[in-house]
Amino acid sequence: MHDKNYHIITYGCQMNQADSETIAGILSNRGFKTTDSIYQADLILLITCAVREHAEQRIYGKLGELMQLKNINPALVIGIGGCMPQQLEVANKLRQKFPRLDLIFGTHNLPEFETMLDRVFADREQVFEIHDIAGRITEDLPKSRIDRHKAYVNITFGCNNFCTYCIVPHVRGRERSRNPNDIINEVINLVQSGYQEVTLLGQNVNSYGLDLNRDFSFADLLKELAMLKGLSRIRFMTPHPKDISDRLIDLINKHDNICNHIHLPLQSGSSAVLRRMNRKYSKEGYLQLAQKIRDGIANCTITTDIIVGFPGESEADFADTIEVVNTVKFDAAFTFAYSKRKGTPAAGYSDQVPQMIKKQRLHRLIELVQQYMLASNQACLGQTFEVMVDGPSKKDPSILSGRTKTNKLVHFAGQYQAGDLVDLKIYRTTSFVLWGETI
Ligand code: 5AD
Ligand code: SF4
């Protein structure tokens, strides 16, 4: 199987990004080359997201478009993986809707990806593989990473939290932690290959290690990694507010290479809604934690995820969310209208919020959140930040973009390589981006 080209389209979160890098690694080991053009591809794969209905609808549309390419190139192989087909009902719908789809596989099937690939190319028959239970963690799968200076490193897979709105535990399985040595060795190898930054990935990074019975926690792991020479920046996502320890806060503050940014999903500011979401913290608990972070970690930014219109959310509940936003003054926030996910408890709740109200609340929330984003960025004016260069900006390739330790996006001019650390003074800002110049 030589000189074949592949093109992967990834939707959704960093977990999917990490899975796509594994698939790319397997393909590259088999002699496949990556291509940016769908017209040059012999194999197109969609790695999909199921977290909201909107994401799924977009993917159906995209798949419909891509299937047309088979009319020009009948040998083209098209496959779909990730969270969408992991829901068996959706996988069956995909099979029905797109009979010429070549490969349908779930999130638990990566270890057999190579065998599936052989089958699809040899037999030219539809391959359909959805395991309903996650197997053990497979450590020896290769990775072909997109970036040369920063890398995602999985520390746990799956989730045990079962927030009542969320499909993730249903499509990613129960929480499984990687062995500390496997993680540490992977990071050492990355540093030796020139990587400067790692982002540790887990649906709830704080519960790392609980399933290993080894008395080795997320804070222990972070501490070990922070001592590695040559690793400039460590990030992690996502911590769950219910179990961020004082020790963790202390550790982040103490180590210069652990970035002073915490993504702390709020989801709702109403204790009643949080209870029904099964989040296991209250409005007051969240506010206390946010204050502890602000007090305990120098210049730490706090970003968040918020859902509006969860079933039963009253105007008073929404006002609680607004109050938490006004109190914490998030540096940035991702905001979502609640989306019913089949198979999750909240989808069956009878008190669904009408679409119009969800839209209005989302609109109000976005306006407020953007004010605080702007204020947070304006506070950076005139200050100097260390920025790690990511490369040419996606929007305007004639300028460069990079990130501060606090995870703010900065645009600037100059001759730098991805991974360079540059001190930039901020002279202009919007809600979403800072502009910096060398001093
Ligand atoms: N509807 C809307 N937003 C959701 N999220 C997860 N599930 C849903 C849903 N059913 C949001 C949460 C989560 C983020 C990744 O997506 O805010 O933190
Ligand atoms: Fe979903 Fe909750 Fe797990 Fe996050 S912690 S993946 S929101 S169930």
Side-chain angles (χ1 to χ4, degrees):
M1 259 196 259
H2 284 281
D3 43 59
K4 286 204 187 317
N5 293 323
Y6 71 90
H7 180 87
I8 302 180
I9 305 172
T10 310
Y11 296 88
C13 67
Q14 290 81 2
M15 287 287 167
N16 275 5
Q17 191 62 55
D19 280 359
S20 291
E21 291 185 345
T22 303
I23 291 170
I26 298 171
L27 287 167
S28 151
N29 276 3
R30 295 298 300 260
F32 279 71
K33 300 271 179 296
T34 177
T35 172
D36 287 340
S37 157
I38 50 172
Y39 302 103
Q40 305 285 323
D42 304 284
L43 167 68
I44 299 178
L45 292 173
L46 267 62
I47 302 304
T48 60
C49 174
V51 89
R52 282 171 295 277
E53 193 185 345
H54 176 68
E56 287 199 356
Q57 290 313 330
R58 266 176 65 205
I59 291 162
Y60 279 113
K62 185 72 184 176
L63 206 48
E65 255 173 54
L66 292 173
M67 294 314 271
Q68 304 295 323
L69 292 175
K70 281 183 169 257
N71 299 333
I72 318 168
N73 174 11
L76 173 67
V77 169
I78 300 182
I80 184 163
C83 295
M84 239 173 105
Q86 186 60 44
Q87 310 161 90
L88 203 52
E89 233 183 276
V90 176
N92 283 323
K93 186 170 158 194
L94 283 163
R95 179 143 73 160
Q96 246 175 21
K97 230 178 142 152
F98 303 105
R100 291 192 299 162
L101 193 52
D102 301 276
L103 178 57
I104 304 172
F105 60 103
T107 53
H108 305 322
N109 297 81
L110 288 197
E112 305 102 72
F113 182 77
E114 206 168 344
T115 326
M116 294 189 287
L117 197 68
D118 285 341
R119 277 170 56 202
V120 87
F121 276 98
D123 306 340
R124 302 302 314 198
E125 270 182 9
Q126 190 179 66
V127 173
F128 185 95
E129 289 283 348
I130 315 287
H131 288 176
D132 57 352
I133 295 178
R136 293 229 310 271
I137 296 174
T138 317
E139 282 295 345
D140 51 2
L141 296 178
K143 269 198 182 283
S144 195
R145 297 181 194 273
I146 290 180
D147 292 307
R148 294 272 151 271
H149 65 295
K150 59 177 189 185
Y152 292 126
V153 173
N154 294 96
I155 64 167
T156 64
F157 295 92
C159 183
N160 286 352
N161 286 317
F162 288 96
C163 302
T164 54
Y165 51 81
C166 185
I167 194 75
V168 170
H170 307 267
V171 291
R172 289 271 173 190
R174 293 296 64 70
E175 190 172 83
R176 290 144 284 143
S177 300
R178 287 178 72 193
N179 279 323
N181 286 344
D182 290 327
I183 299 170
I184 294 166
N185 287 337
E186 181 175 353
V187 177
I188 290 175
N189 283 335
L190 286 165
V191 173
Q192 284 171 351
S193 332
Y195 281 84
Q196 304 252 23
E197 177 180 303
V198 294
T199 301
L200 308 175
L201 291 184
Q203 303 296 345
N204 172 12
V205 288
N206 311 106
S207 55
Y208 170 76
L210 294 181
D211 55 324
L212 296 176
N213 300 321
R214 274 185 173 208
D215 199 21
F216 190 83
S217 68
F218 177 60
D220 295 320
L221 177 69
L222 208 52
K223 194 171 165 194
E224 292 265 330
L225 295 176
M227 317 267 234
L228 290 181
K229 285 223 159 44
L231 185 57
S232 308
R233 290 183 173 189
I234 305 171
R235 300 185 185 279
F236 55 88
M237 64 189 316
T238 308
H240 193 301
K242 77 180 159 68
D243 37 29
I244 289 195
S245 65
D246 291 355
R247 186 174 160 227
L248 185 68
I249 293 177
D250 214 38
L251 199 71
I252 299 169
N253 189 43
K254 248 191 217 134
H255 290 271
D256 212 33
N257 57 354
I258 307 178
C259 291
N260 47 344
H261 162 229
I262 298 194
H263 186 69
L264 193 67
L266 166 68
Q267 311 301 5
S268 168
S270 150
S271 295
V273 172
L274 287 168
R275 210 163 26 247
R276 283 149 42 86
M277 285 178 161
N278 192 30
R279 291 291 290 176
K280 302 193 172 81
Y281 54 86
S282 63
K283 172 187 178 185
E284 290 71 29
Y286 187 96
L287 287 173
Q288 273 168 18
L289 178 59
Q291 193 56 49
K292 248 192 211 174
I293 293 170
R294 295 257 192 241
D295 293 342
I297 307 173
N299 304 315
C300 189
T301 47
I302 304 180
T303 58
T304 199
D305 293 343
I306 302 171
I307 299 174
V308 300
F310 182 80
E313 184 189 71
S314 65
E315 198 50 42
D317 291 322
F318 180 63
D320 278 339
T321 298
I322 297 286
E323 194 189 320
V324 174
V325 172
N326 281 326
T327 312
V328 180
K329 303 179 171 57
F330 293 105
D331 296 276
F334 296 103
T335 50
F336 310 103
Y338 168 71
S339 168
K340 246 178 163 179
R341 303 285 64 208
K342 219 173 182 173
T344 62
Y349 294 175
S350 56
D351 44 2
Q352 300 288 325
V353 173
Q355 201 60 31
M356 262 310 277
I357 294 185
K358 283 196 232 178
K359 266 196 173 161
Q360 284 166 1
R361 287 183 188 160
L362 187 62
H363 192 73
R364 282 160 64 192
L365 182 63
I366 289 173
E367 267 191 2
L368 185 66
V369 154
Q370 283 189 5
Q371 283 175 29
Y372 286 113
M373 284 164 73
L374 183 63
S376 162
N377 281 354
Q378 281 175 338
C380 301
L381 284 171
Q383 290 192 54
T384 300
F385 292 89
E386 178 202 86
V387 172
M388 184 179 285
V389 181
D390 280 325
S393 152
K394 281 193 191 105
K395 287 220 172 102
D396 176 2
S398 70
I399 52 169
L400 293 169
S401 75
R403 296 259 168 193
T404 62
K405 273 194 181 154
T406 51
N407 207 35
K408 287 184 182 287
L409 178 65
V410 188
H411 285 339
F412 52 103
Q415 300 289 322
Y416 300 102
Q417 301 298 317
D420 287 350
L421 294 169
V422 197
D423 282 336
L424 295 173
K425 188 169 173 185
I426 305 306
Y427 65 91
R428 190 177 147 203
T429 166
T430 66
S431 300
F432 299 99
V433 62
L434 306 172
W435 274 266
E437 58 195 355
T438 39
I439 28 173

